[in-house]
């Protein structure tokens, strides 16, 4: 039986992240479902399939394989598919790790979002309150907008949009004591691999920054906030 919270992890080139994340689920007592979204052209595809075989029979963990759509595209595709099945949807990178706490992180998410449409994020020990590098939201947000993040964004600046949505609809919560650690080269917790180099290239930074400012300043954000505010009003 499915949980009411699905965590979507678009992943590429890092099959070693699978057992690490499964261990984090076990260490934290999480019951949330976890979906690994893998590209069919991933050079490490066989590694992912080997990890999937080890987890066969554990309903918490699932794998989907599809055409490469990049992080934003894959996240949107899987989130839209899941809106009817799950009450809450979340994103983590394959370099995020939930950490143990007196109350499990997924229970905190459910508790925080149980009052209606909203967004919640925790402390990634890198950006903290400034940026939700991992995030959860009620599925009605995705159903209302038709996506988990603006489709023009490939990889970067998604978290800025989630902040804009949450603040604009007056329904965002930061939980400093809910640690979902970001293991990233920027904080010396991961090696700089091909994946990091690609998504942090000058070309990617420029393209996603331009797309974000266009969305924010030229009507896209305003249109989405109008829909989200109406959603909050109807749910009150």
């Amino acid at each position: 039986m499915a949980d009411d919270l699905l965590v979507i992890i678009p992943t590429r080139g890092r099959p070693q992240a699978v057992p690490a994340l499964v261990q984090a689920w076990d260490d934290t007592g999480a019951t949330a479902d976890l979906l690994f979204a893998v590209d069919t052209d991933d050079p490490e595809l066989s590694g992912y399939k080997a990890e999937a075989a080890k987890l066969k029979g554990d309903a918490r963990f699932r794998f989907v394989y599809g055409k490469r759509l990049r992080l934003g595209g894959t996240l949107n595709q899987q989130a839209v598919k899941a809106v009817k099945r799950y009450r809450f949807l979340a994103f983590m990178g394959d370099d995020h790790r939930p950490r143990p706490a007196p109350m499990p992180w997924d229970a905190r998410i459910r508790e925080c979002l149980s009052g209606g449409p909203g967004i919640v994020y925790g402390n990634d020990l890198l950006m903290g309150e400034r940026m939700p590098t991992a995030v959860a939201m009620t599925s009605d947000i995705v159903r209302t907008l038709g996506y988990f993040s603006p489709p023009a964004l490939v990889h970067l600046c998604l978290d800025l949009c989630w902040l804009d949505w949450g603040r604009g609809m007056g329904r965002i919560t930061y939980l400093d004591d809910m640690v979902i650690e970001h293991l990233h080269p920027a904080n010396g917790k991961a090696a700089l691999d091909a994946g990091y180099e690609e998504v942090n290239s000058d070309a990617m930074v420029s393209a996603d920054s331009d797309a974000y400012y266009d969305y924010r300043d030229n009507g896209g954000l305003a249109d989405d906030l109008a829909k989200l505010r109406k959603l909050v009003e109807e749910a009150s």
Side-chain angles (χ1 to χ4, degrees):
M1 181 177 178
D3 197 88
D4 61 355
L5 169 61
L6 175 68
V7 180
I8 302 168
I9 299 185
T11 181
R12 183 177 178 89
R14 297 172 185 153
Q16 70 276 10
V18 174
L21 280 157
V22 169
Q23 187 63 57
W25 251 242
D26 291 340
D27 290 346
T28 61
T31 63
D33 289 348
L34 174 55
L35 179 67
F36 293 101
V38 183
D39 300 331
T40 51
D41 69 344
D42 192 325
E44 300 292 338
L45 182 61
S46 61
Y48 282 106
K49 291 192 172 183
E51 295 298 334
K54 297 174 187 176
L55 295 168
K56 190 175 182 179
D58 191 329
R60 294 175 300 168
F61 308 115
R62 303 201 313 276
F63 291 74
V64 293
Y65 305 93
K67 179 181 177 181
R68 189 183 190 194
L69 300 176
R70 308 300 295 269
L71 187 148
T74 298
L75 177 58
N76 284 338
Q77 180 189 65
Q78 296 306 319
V80 168
K81 287 182 178 180
V83 291
K84 292 182 178 179
R85 186 177 179 186
Y86 291 90
R87 185 181 178 192
F88 312 112
L89 297 171
F91 158 76
M92 290 184 196
D94 57 16
D95 56 356
H96 283 92
R97 302 289 183 271
R99 297 308 186 194
M103 183 177 184
W105 60 271
D106 57 335
R108 294 288 304 280
I109 287 173
R110 295 185 195 91
E111 179 182 69
C112 185
L113 296 179
S114 63
I119 295 173
V120 62
Y121 64 109
N123 186 355
D124 72 347
L125 304 182
L126 175 59
M127 301 304 295
E129 188 172 5
R130 291 174 292 164
M131 196 173 291
T133 62
V135 71
M137 64 185 70
T138 51
S139 61
D140 52 9
I141 292 176
V142 176
R143 185 166 54 250
T144 296
L145 298 180
Y147 44 74
F148 198 106
S149 63
L153 297 176
V154 174
H155 190 101
L156 304 174
C157 302
L158 280 66
D159 30 36
L160 299 179
C161 296
W162 298 326
L163 275 181
D164 290 336
W165 293 354
R167 290 171 176 170
M169 64 194 290
R171 301 295 291 267
I172 189 166
T173 302
Y174 170 67
L175 300 172
D176 185 70
D177 59 339
M178 184 178 78
V179 175
I180 299 177
E181 187 173 8
H182 198 181
L183 306 178
H184 194 276
N187 56 14
K189 295 179 180 179
L192 185 65
D193 63 15
Y196 288 121
E197 289 180 343
E198 179 183 31
V199 302
N200 291 288
S201 67
D202 290 344
M204 179 65 70
V205 171
S206 178
D208 271 350
S209 295
D210 288 348
Y212 168 68
Y213 290 125
D214 181 64
Y215 169 76
R216 189 192 68 180
D217 299 335
N218 293 315
L221 176 60
D223 289 345
D224 282 350
L225 288 181
K227 296 174 185 177
L228 293 176
R229 288 166 182 154
K230 182 178 179 182
L231 176 66
V232 171
E233 180 180 351
E234 291 174 346
S236 300

